[in-house]
Amino acid sequence: MFAADCYRWAWAFVKVKAYSFLCILRRGMEQFESIDAGGYPVINGENVFGHLSGFLETGSYSSIFILVDDNTLRHCLPGLIANVEKLQDAEILEIDSGEENKSIEVCTQLWSALGELGADRRSLLVNLGGGVVGDMGGFVAATFKRGIDFINIPTTLLSQVDASVGGKTGVDLGSLKNEVGVFCDPKAVYIHTDFLYTLEQRQLRSGFAEVIKHALIAGKSYWKKVKSVDPAAVDELALLIPDSIEIKNKIVQEDPKEKGKRKALNFGHTIGHALESYALQNSISLLHGEAIAAGMICEAYISSAVAGLSSGQLSEITEFINEIFPPVKLPRTREKELLKLMRHDKKNVAGNINSTLLKEIGKFVTDKECDEALILESFGYYREKVRQDK
Ligand SMILES: NC(=O)c1ccc[n+]([C@@H]2O[C@H](COP(=O)([O-])OP(=O)(O)OC[C@H]3O[C@@H](n4cnc5c(N)ncnc54)[C@H](O)[C@@H]3O)[C@@H](O)[C@H]2O)c1
Ligand SMILES: [Zn+2]
């Protein structure tokens, strides 16, 4: 699984890839330079690699490790190394891509590899990848020798708009999502939108689900902006990244440990995570954003039943998500399993299923207890409304 020596192999790509990567660096975008995420910077804009080089110059790290998966090794590492000289001697740790590898078993391999390669408390881990690499790399760094520094260089839309910021790290336990983890902030986050050009359309769309979530909890003006974007166009999606990060960051700053307001960011995730766990258990291909998109339709339905969301806004949300995402199968025969998975959700208290719901687009309520019958009703709504012919 690991290829600590794949560093040499990666170098073989550098010369070829560096040229194409530098070509796409030209495209300018509307970006902020840096925002403070409560003690660490999130860097975006034209000079991301310059900022990263500066950070590494002043960091006095004893050694640097870069965590990649097989896709980011191929698509992202060569461009990074070509542009950031200080990373040219870094050790590369490679994992297999995919949610099924966000596991404690892979963490064990990573902790061992770090030890064998001489990592010490002044080592730095660079997480170069999507939410899987970021969540797991952050957890490995937070726990190795009681904690070493790490930075995130998110390479998927989902991780650029959401997962790389906010300090949640962790892994799945079997099929239970994010069951083991810690809150631990990176030293910095470096967002380079050019990484998105090698991402598959399906992965881009998955990231767009988190953007939709931000719009639904944040307000009508962002919702309007999000609705006007072509979700298949990287250049247009990249324009949404600063807004999404600002929305997430503002909420996280007010409630870093998810005691209250931060639960807003879980809209769509009570049902979405259950669908994702169910898919993991049954080897069904379902991306995080695809599960969350279905979860948002169901939870919007529940919102209209008990939280005051108007039927007009419910239809608007349903139609918009339905236009973009393929339908998720919600088999009637497996509903009990899904409810059981929902009872595991970390937001629950005393065995009840709690959820974040919408009062209207841009206004949410957290910790709303959801009746199981109503959740099943929302599945019925989903089946009825979501076109099955796509
Ligand atoms: N920590 C948080 O706050 C938070 C928030 C939201 C989601 N998450 C987690 O994030 C994970 C999902 O993240 P994700 O969607 O980024 O998944 P991912 O990390 O699995 O990446 C998706 C796929 O894209 C590939 N890839 C990554 N960058 C690429 C690039 N530039 N070009 C080509 N291919 C590339 C990966 O190898 C993978 O196959 C889930 O585990 C979810 O629970 C965490
Ligand atoms: Zn999510």
Side-chain angles (χ1 to χ4, degrees):
M1 176 162 300
F2 285 112
D5 61 340
C6 70
Y7 168 66
R8 262 165 249 113
W9 182 79
W11 255 116
F13 277 90
V14 168
K15 291 198 180 91
V16 186
K17 283 279 176 177
Y19 174 73
S20 56
F21 191 78
L22 286 168
C23 287
I24 50 178
L25 281 181
R26 283 178 282 111
R27 285 186 279 262
M29 278 155 191
E30 193 189 273
Q31 294 160 337
F32 59 74
E33 185 83 6
S34 172
I35 59 166
D36 179 8
Y40 65 95
V42 181
I43 312 286
N44 187 209
E46 293 294 306
N47 189 27
V48 172
F49 292 139
H51 283 282
L52 174 55
S53 298
F55 168 83
L56 295 172
E57 291 294 337
T58 53
S60 70
Y61 288 106
S62 57
S63 53
I64 301 177
F65 295 81
I66 306 178
L67 180 63
V68 290
D69 66 21
D70 44 289
N71 291 317
T72 60
L73 174 78
R74 194 149 67 91
H75 295 297
C76 308
L77 185 67
L80 177 67
I81 291 179
N83 284 281
V84 184
E85 207 188 325
K86 268 270 183 184
L87 292 177
Q88 288 176 1
D89 294 327
E91 293 280 0
I92 310 301
L93 303 174
E94 185 199 350
I95 57 166
D96 289 341
S97 56
E99 183 72 28
E100 63 280 16
N101 298 303
K102 197 174 116 176
S103 68
I104 204 77
E105 292 78 14
V106 176
C107 288
T108 305
Q109 292 171 335
L110 287 167
W111 288 315
S112 303
L114 284 170
E116 279 159 25
L117 292 166
D120 61 29
R121 276 208 168 153
R122 285 197 304 116
S123 297
L124 174 75
L125 184 65
V126 177
N127 296 322
L128 179 66
V132 167
V133 164
D135 280 14
M136 185 159 55
F139 179 63
V140 164
T143 47
F144 181 74
K145 292 189 192 283
R146 297 211 174 86
I148 63 171
D149 284 358
F150 68 98
I151 59 173
N152 289 334
I153 307 181
T155 61
T156 61
L157 180 65
L158 190 142
S159 56
Q160 294 196 348
V161 295
D162 200 316
S164 63
V165 178
K168 279 191 183 178
T169 74
V171 292
D172 305 334
L173 193 62
S175 61
L176 293 178
K177 286 281 301 172
N178 305 327
E179 188 77 347
V180 178
V182 293
F183 285 102
C184 186
D185 286 334
K187 284 288 149 198
V189 179
Y190 297 93
I191 297 177
H192 207 308
T193 50
D194 285 340
F195 285 126
L196 302 180
Y197 286 92
T198 53
L199 207 55
E200 287 175 2
Q201 278 295 326
R202 188 178 172 203
Q203 297 290 350
L204 267 183
R205 196 169 55 202
S206 175
F208 194 56
E210 301 284 14
V211 173
I212 294 172
K213 175 194 77 180
H214 292 146
L216 290 176
I217 60 174
K220 288 193 188 109
S221 66
Y222 192 44
W223 172 241
K224 210 169 148 200
K225 189 172 173 184
V226 167
K227 287 216 310 177
S228 71
V229 159
D230 173 0
V234 171
D235 295 41
E236 291 188 30
L237 290 170
L239 297 176
L240 301 172
I241 293 170
D243 285 326
S244 264
I245 292 174
E246 303 248 23
I247 289 164
K248 175 160 185 184
N249 189 39
K250 190 163 176 288
I251 292 175
V252 171
Q253 292 314 299
E254 285 178 44
D255 175 24
K257 294 279 166 73
E258 202 169 287
K259 304 276 184 234
K261 192 172 182 185
R262 186 169 179 170
K263 292 176 189 167
L265 293 164
N266 294 326
F267 176 65
H269 284 60
T270 302
I271 291 173
H273 271 162
L275 292 170
E276 216 183 342
S277 292
Y278 172 78
L280 273 170
Q281 272 170 6
N282 294 281
S283 303
I284 296 166
S285 168
L286 183 68
L287 301 180
H288 179 72
E290 292 168 346
I292 278 13
M296 286 192 288
I297 292 182
C298 294
E299 292 178 26
Y301 175 84
I302 298 170
S303 301
S304 75
V306 295
L309 184 74
S310 70
S311 57
Q313 291 200 335
L314 169 64
S315 302
E316 191 182 335
I317 295 167
T318 306
E319 279 160 29
F320 181 60
I321 295 176
N322 190 24
E323 273 304 308
I324 298 165
F325 289 87
V328 174
K329 293 255 175 309
L330 285 176
R332 272 195 189 78
T333 51
R334 314 305 282 269
E335 286 177 338
K336 285 216 171 84
E337 279 171 61
L338 289 170
L339 287 174
K340 195 171 161 210
L341 286 164
M342 274 174 235
R343 281 186 222 110
H344 268 289
D345 195 281
K346 290 180 283 302
K347 296 183 292 302
N348 295 339
V349 182
N352 296 319
I353 299 173
N354 283 354
S355 195
T356 296
L357 299 177
L358 297 176
K359 294 196 269 192
E360 59 181 83
I361 292 173
K363 291 206 174 125
F364 57 83
V365 53
T366 60
D367 292 316
K368 265 299 226 187
E369 200 179 312
C370 292
D371 187 36
E372 292 191 3
L374 187 56
I375 294 173
L376 295 180
E377 219 180 273
S378 79
F379 292 167
Y381 171 79
Y382 182 86
R383 282 192 207 96
E384 184 193 315
K385 291 288 174 189
V386 172
R387 285 204 321 266
Q388 299 288 323
D389 56 334
K390 281 196 286 182

